[in-house]
């Protein structure tokens, strides 16, 4: 073949791959409000940075109508590129080719980029839009998922793994996102479920729409699976880029520090008005976080799930930090099963990737009652204790108001090895709230009093003066400093400057057994 012919041949083959399932299917994809696999990569990656790998791979299946069936790229686009100049590996499933279904070659393309990402030490971002295991390829398709799940597990804690759901993600396919670190979804067009509405109807005789069963709304508020949801593909991908800005490329790197654009010792006077003096009054803890963070900027994760605990990333002194904060603006900031899952998983992610954790405490304790007890608050609540205890990254704790009972211990107390425990003068640290405590200890005395209500009031005042303040804890050294709220940002910046080089080792073991 002459060189011109061979080049023409190469171009024709490449063009066919880029065309995916063809114009009609691309139009159908757009008609559903979805971008194509390549358009998504264009938005995710820096312009012109995408390098494709395995573009010419395709299936070798012959059964069930597959013999000679064209499947450009085998329904997935794979390769690498950059986000803000930093290397990432990517795969993007192409629904226009066999519904983005996963067969042997499709899976091999994905596992090849997973292997490279792990070897090189760079984040992996997978964009899912797929009908799941390719039915025509039988066990080869199932094997493909198994190979992906194995690699997800091996890569866990080594490189960040982000999944973006932008179409169906059904059946066992949901477990790759679940094994990774962060899941993003797009409103109205993305779905995750183990079995779809048709199977639910057949097995359980229940009528449910795909949206009700596993749409973005369900996963951002009920299951907590979706860390963020965008209104369309473009917004979702923009949020993924934003998240990557906080993360190191791998577990051996420090997180990316940016030049400081805020004053390192800016006074945080606004905390005087954000935090109510009345301990019974709620407030939005995100305002406290923003007051303290560089440029008042906070990238919240799972904002609509377990809202009594707020988590996310911010910067302090240009350094990424993970924030965990009880939110008295929702259910008084109580700790329950969902907050335990939300908080502990996030602390473990930060710990795996060298991101310091700042914890804001204002919680009346663990949630009482049969619902939580019977659903396993004991084993779920244990996760928070476990996650903080095993964390070796710099840990700073700010006790804003209430730190009662088990929740005082669990929320990164000195006893679980927080490096710095600060308390605001409004902090209350005690075994339980004043009223409950007096009614337990002085039950008989109150019952026998001439005016029981008056007696309770007196006892509550005495209890508050004795326990519901930070000074007993400070006198024991469990609180390092009681600080004026206006100095909080400066104190935390200083903490990071001093503790940034912290190195701590856990006892030698294969791995612990985390409560689940
Ligand atoms: C092969 C598939 C496919 C699949 C879709 N297609 N899913 N081909 N294997 N799993 C093909 C369709 O035949 C069709 O091809 C094209 O993709 C587009 O699909 P449509 O159905 O026309 O699209 P739409 O109406 O948008 O519906 C999309 C869908 C539906 C909701 C995803 O296709 C569907 O329900 N698919 C099956 C989903 C599922 O149950 N997956 C679980 C598989 S089991 P043509 O040529 O007609 O355009 C699994 C287990 C993994 O994944 C185990 C891991 C542990």
């Amino acid at each position: 073949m002459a060189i011109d012919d061979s080049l023409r041949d190469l171009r024709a083959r490449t063009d066919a791959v880029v065309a995916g399932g063809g114009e009609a299917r691309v139009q159908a994809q757009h008609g559903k409000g979805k971008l194509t696999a390549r358009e998504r990569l264009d938005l995710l990656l820096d312009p012109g940075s995408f390098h494709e790998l395995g573009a010419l791979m395709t299936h070798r299946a012959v059964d069930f109508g597959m013999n000679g069936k064209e499947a450009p790229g085998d329904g997935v686009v794979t390769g690498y590129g950059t986000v803000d100049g930093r290397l990432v590996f990517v795969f993007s499933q192409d629904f226009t080719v066999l519904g983005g279904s996963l067969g042997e070659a499709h899976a091999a393309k994905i596992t090849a980029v997973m292997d490279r990402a792990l070897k090189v030490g760079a984040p992996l971002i997978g964009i899912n839009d797929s009908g799941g295991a390719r039915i025509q390829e039988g066990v080869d398709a199932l094997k493909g998922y198994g190979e992906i799940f194995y690699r997800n597990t091996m890569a866990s804690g080594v490189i960040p793994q982000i999944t973006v759901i932008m179409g169906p993600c059904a059946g066992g396919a949901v477990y790759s996102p679940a094994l990774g670190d962060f899941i993003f979804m797009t409103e109205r067009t993305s779905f995750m479920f183990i079995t779809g509405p048709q199977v639910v109807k057949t097995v359980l005789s229940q009528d449910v729409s795909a949206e009700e069963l596993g749409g973005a709304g369900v996963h951002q508020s009920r299951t907590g699976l979706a860390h963020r949801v965008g209104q369309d593909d473009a917004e979702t991908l923009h949020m993924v880029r934003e998240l990557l800005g906080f993360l190191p490329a791998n577990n051996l790197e420090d997180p990316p520090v940016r030049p400081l654009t805020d004053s390192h010792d800016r006074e945080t006077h606004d905390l005087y008005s954000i935090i109510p003096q009345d301990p019974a009054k709620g407030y939005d803890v995100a305002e406290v976080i923003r007051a303290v963070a560089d440029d008042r900027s906070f990238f919240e994760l799972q904002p609509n799930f377990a809202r009594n605990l707020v988590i996310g990333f911010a910067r302090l002194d240009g350094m990424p930090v993970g924030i965990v904060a009880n939110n008295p603006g929702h259910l008084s900031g109580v700790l329950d099963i969902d907050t335990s899952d939300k908080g502990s998983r996030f602390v473990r992610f930060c710990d795996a990737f060298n991101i310091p954790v700042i914890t804001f405490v204002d919680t009346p304790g663990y949630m009482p009652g049969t619902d939580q007890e019977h659903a396993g608050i004991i084993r779920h609540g244990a996760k928070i204790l476990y996650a903080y205890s095993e964390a070796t990254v710099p840990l700073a704790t700010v006790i804003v108001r209430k730190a009662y009972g088990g929740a005082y211990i669990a929320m990164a107390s000195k006893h679980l090895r927080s490096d710095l425990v600060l308390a605001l003068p409004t902090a209350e640290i005690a075994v339980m709230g004043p009223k409950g405590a007096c009614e337990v200890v002085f039950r008989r005395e109150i019952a026998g009093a001439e005016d029981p209500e008056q007696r309770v009031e007196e006892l509550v005042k005495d209890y508050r003066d004795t326990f519901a303040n930070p000074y007993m804890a400070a006198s024991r050294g469990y609180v390092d400093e009681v600080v004026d709220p206006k100095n909080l940002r400066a104190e935390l910046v200083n903490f990071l400057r001093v503790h940034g080089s912290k190195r701590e080792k856990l006892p030698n073991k294969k791995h612990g057994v985390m409560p689940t």
Side-chain angles (χ1 to χ4, degrees):
M1 200 187 281
I3 187 76
D4 280 1
D5 288 345
S6 64
L7 279 178
R8 254 193 299 278
D9 182 41
L10 171 62
R11 259 183 228 133
R13 286 170 190 267
T14 314
D15 288 350
V17 169
V18 171
E23 195 48 36
R25 285 175 198 270
V26 168
Q27 291 303 331
Q29 178 85 348
H30 286 161
K32 290 179 191 158
K34 302 199 294 184
L35 297 176
T36 65
R38 287 174 191 277
E39 288 165 345
R40 287 166 176 163
L41 290 178
D42 284 346
L43 286 178
L44 173 67
L45 301 172
D46 297 336
S49 71
F50 179 54
H51 282 67
E52 188 161 356
L53 295 168
L56 300 174
M57 280 177 76
T58 190
H59 71 90
R60 53 179 171 174
V62 291
D63 295 330
F64 224 57
M66 285 298 284
N67 200 3
K69 190 155 195 162
E70 296 280 316
D74 211 49
V76 64
V77 184
T78 56
Y80 58 90
T82 59
V83 172
D84 291 329
R86 301 167 69 220
L87 178 69
V88 295
F89 284 83
V90 290
F91 68 85
S92 180
Q93 292 181 311
D94 184 350
F95 192 80
T96 69
V97 176
L98 302 179
S101 58
L102 182 138
E104 181 194 31
H106 181 123
K109 287 179 73 172
I110 292 176
T111 53
V113 284
M114 294 178 87
D115 288 342
R116 279 178 205 256
L118 194 58
K119 267 193 234 169
V120 170
L124 175 78
I125 303 154
I127 302 177
N128 285 32
D129 187 358
S130 165
R134 188 173 297 157
I135 294 161
Q136 301 90 322
E137 296 201 34
V139 73
D140 285 332
L142 297 181
K143 171 224 175 204
Y145 273 119
E147 293 292 332
I148 291 171
F149 301 157
Y150 176 80
R151 284 168 176 80
N152 284 134
T153 308
M154 291 304 110
S156 178
V158 183
I159 53 172
Q161 300 182 80
I162 299 170
T163 311
V164 193
I165 312 293
M166 293 195 145
C169 179
V174 297
Y175 286 114
S176 176
L179 287 165
D181 299 310
F182 299 102
I183 298 177
F184 289 72
M185 293 180 80
T186 300
E187 263 175 30
R188 290 180 300 279
T189 52
S190 62
F191 309 97
M192 290 179 86
F193 31 66
I194 295 277
T195 52
Q198 191 52 51
V199 178
V200 174
K201 171 92 181 157
T202 310
V203 178
L204 299 165
S205 305
Q206 283 175 1
D207 280 310
V208 65
S209 69
E211 182 67 37
E212 289 165 334
L213 188 62
V218 170
H219 289 308
Q220 69 172 325
S221 59
R222 301 281 295 277
T223 69
L225 211 53
H227 288 84
R228 286 293 287 265
V229 171
Q231 286 185 358
D232 54 25
D233 285 358
E235 190 187 36
T236 306
L237 293 164
H238 180 78
M239 289 192 292
V240 175
R241 287 179 63 92
E242 212 178 327
L243 171 68
L244 284 163
F246 293 101
L247 311 183
N250 59 62
N251 64 329
L252 302 178
E253 258 189 20
D254 284 331
V257 177
R258 287 200 180 146
L260 186 58
T261 47
D262 198 345
S263 155
H264 74 275
D265 58 357
R266 170 171 54 77
E267 290 194 340
T268 42
H269 286 108
D270 12 359
L271 294 180
Y272 293 146
S273 54
I274 295 171
I275 303 161
Q277 287 293 317
D278 178 355
K281 272 203 177 147
Y283 60 91
D284 180 5
V285 78
E287 286 187 42
V288 173
I289 298 163
R290 287 203 180 86
V292 170
D294 288 1
D295 304 316
R296 300 173 186 273
S297 176
F298 176 49
F299 185 79
E300 190 173 349
L301 294 164
Q302 297 170 296
N304 297 313
F305 170 69
R307 287 166 48 216
N308 26 334
L309 188 87
V310 167
I311 61 166
F313 292 110
R315 282 194 149 77
L316 272 172
D317 206 21
M319 166 71 124
V321 289
I323 304 281
V324 179
N326 305 122
N327 182 20
H330 189 74
L331 298 176
S332 307
V334 75
L335 283 185
D336 56 16
I337 288 171
D338 285 345
T339 55
S340 301
D341 284 355
K342 182 178 178 180
S344 57
R345 198 167 196 285
F346 183 65
V347 168
R348 296 194 93 212
F349 176 85
C350 292
D351 187 45
F353 289 99
N354 313 315
I355 301 171
V357 178
I358 313 283
T359 303
F360 292 87
V361 187
D362 191 346
T363 174
Y366 279 99
M367 180 88 140
T370 45
D371 281 356
Q372 289 283 308
E373 295 284 2
H374 294 177
I377 182 82
I378 297 175
R379 62 191 173 83
H380 289 287
K383 293 176 203 171
I384 292 256
L385 297 161
Y386 193 97
Y388 276 122
S389 297
E390 70 165 3
T392 57
V393 285
L395 298 175
T397 311
V398 181
I399 304 178
V400 178
R401 287 194 319 191
K402 295 173 203 148
Y404 289 145
Y408 155 73
I409 304 168
M411 291 302 294
S413 65
K414 196 81 168 174
H415 324 299
L416 303 188
R417 305 296 183 266
S418 177
D419 299 295
L420 179 76
V421 179
L422 301 174
L424 301 188
T426 40
E428 300 178 10
I429 305 167
V431 171
M432 61 164 76
K435 199 150 180 281
C438 295
E439 279 165 2
V440 170
V441 177
F442 298 109
R443 187 160 43 97
R444 275 192 209 90
E445 188 184 326
I446 293 166
E450 225 169 81
D451 182 345
E453 269 182 35
Q454 159 89 19
R455 186 63 195 132
V456 169
E457 244 174 65
E458 286 162 10
L459 288 166
V460 163
K461 184 179 176 320
D462 188 24
Y463 184 90
R464 277 196 179 289
D465 292 345
T466 314
F467 298 110
N469 60 60
Y471 298 108
M472 184 191 252
S475 75
R476 305 283 193 276
Y478 307 153
V479 162
D480 292 295
E481 257 183 276
V482 181
V483 298
D484 185 328
K486 80 173 162 49
N487 298 328
L488 187 56
R489 173 173 160 80
E491 290 281 352
L492 291 173
V493 166
N494 193 46
F495 161 76
L496 285 177
R497 291 184 179 182
V498 171
H499 292 81
S501 58
K502 175 186 171 187
R503 291 285 177 270
E504 200 169 51
K505 283 230 176 305
L506 296 176
N508 230 347
K509 53 183 160 183
K510 187 173 174 191
H511 57 70
V513 183
M514 167 131 175
T516 51

